[in-house]
Amino acid sequence: MEEQKIKEFAVSCQTPTYVFDTDILKERIFLMRELLRPAKLCFAIKANPFLLSAMDAQIDCYEVCSPGEFHICVQNGLDSRKIVLSGVSKDYEDVRYAMEQGVIRYTAESRRQFELVHQCAEELGKTVEILLRVTSGNQFGMSEADVVDLIRCRDAYPHLEVAGIQYFTGTQKKNIKKIAGEVEYIENFVHRLSSEEGFSARVLEFGPGLGVPYFTKDDGEEDCKLLEEFRKLFQEERPYELIFEMGRFLTASCGYYITKIVDQKRNDAVNVCIVDGGIHHVNYYGQNMAMKTPILSFLPQHPTESEREEKWTVYGSLCTVADVLLKNISLLDARVGDYLVFHNIGAYSVTEGIYLFLSRKMPSIYFYNAKNGVTQLRPELETWTLNTWRNE
């Protein structure tokens, strides 16, 4: 989205707000498909469920990790056969409902989940696919021993077809050697399952957790360089289908968050800007109390009367000292009514913020593309009704 377009949109909308450029999103996905083919792409919808309709034609499958996310998929009319029902907490009612809606692939994060999915399939007279998730040392997935044991006894579960393995170790990784080590580990494990257990995986779903540039000190091209290095790890043909599960890496670059300066003052030796947004809307992975400066644009709304930049600390509108967005940022003749635009905010912030704190409004959300211009997805929403009750 060109800066002039952002400026025109900022003055016409009610801030704070998000806008997601679907042209950027589609270009990003196209690039990844071209570089990583024949591997398939799985979108972790927790990164940004608002983008589902914009990417559906380009994405092979969706990772769904909660009942709420599944209801979003149903409401958006997504093909249930493209859903991988995942997550560490699966209830009987949720698994059964997903199966009734046509979901055919699930993950098992534990023995109990494996048995639960089989129970639902048996009751409904269906056979479904399941991926066994291997842990990387946290609460997700199972030990190698548990995975091997389930494979050995899989014939006792006739309503489950063990399709393969799922593996994910974390997010925002920028060291290709670390990622290469994880690829080597999980592929060696898949090979051992074949040679020692006679189990040939049809699918390996791998979440590389590729990092994206968020801050001004980052290399703006590091994500493209990382993707190229990642591609080199998979130049040889595999005997199983590769699925790369991603969220942040797919969507971060398409998002903008616009907030307006609503007050200014000087507190002791600090120039203070107050904006109408805050940390309840802006959440960059790796940012802590504005110790890093994210990539942003400053959009003044007045003729510049001074050529001298001043250092400002930018605070949000929450009544907490933690609500600091930027420290010692240089702005030229900044005034009330000017806009700040945070870039690369297409992943997580739109759903990850502490939205109910202080009962402030949730931001409006828009799509933008060159063909259709700006389209509103959701107006701003009041939250105070969720933080109160009525005494009868």
Side-chain angles (χ1 to χ4, degrees), residues 124-150:
L124 294 172
K126 295 187 174 187
T127 300
V128 297
E129 297 181 355
I130 197 158
L131 300 175
L132 304 180
R133 182 165 183 175
V134 181
T135 187
S136 59
N138 47 37
Q139 76 270 37
F140 302 107
M142 297 176 281
S143 66
E144 287 188 10
D146 280 345
V147 170
V148 169
D149 191 53
L150 287 175

Side-chain angles (χ1 to χ4, degrees), residues 1 18 44 68 83 115 122 130 136 150 180 250 345 353 356 375 392:
M1 195 171 182
Y18 297 100
I83 291 173
E115 294 169 354
E122 185 177 40
I130 197 158
S136 59
L150 287 175
L250 283 172
I345 207 161
L356 298 186
T375 304
E392 299 294 342

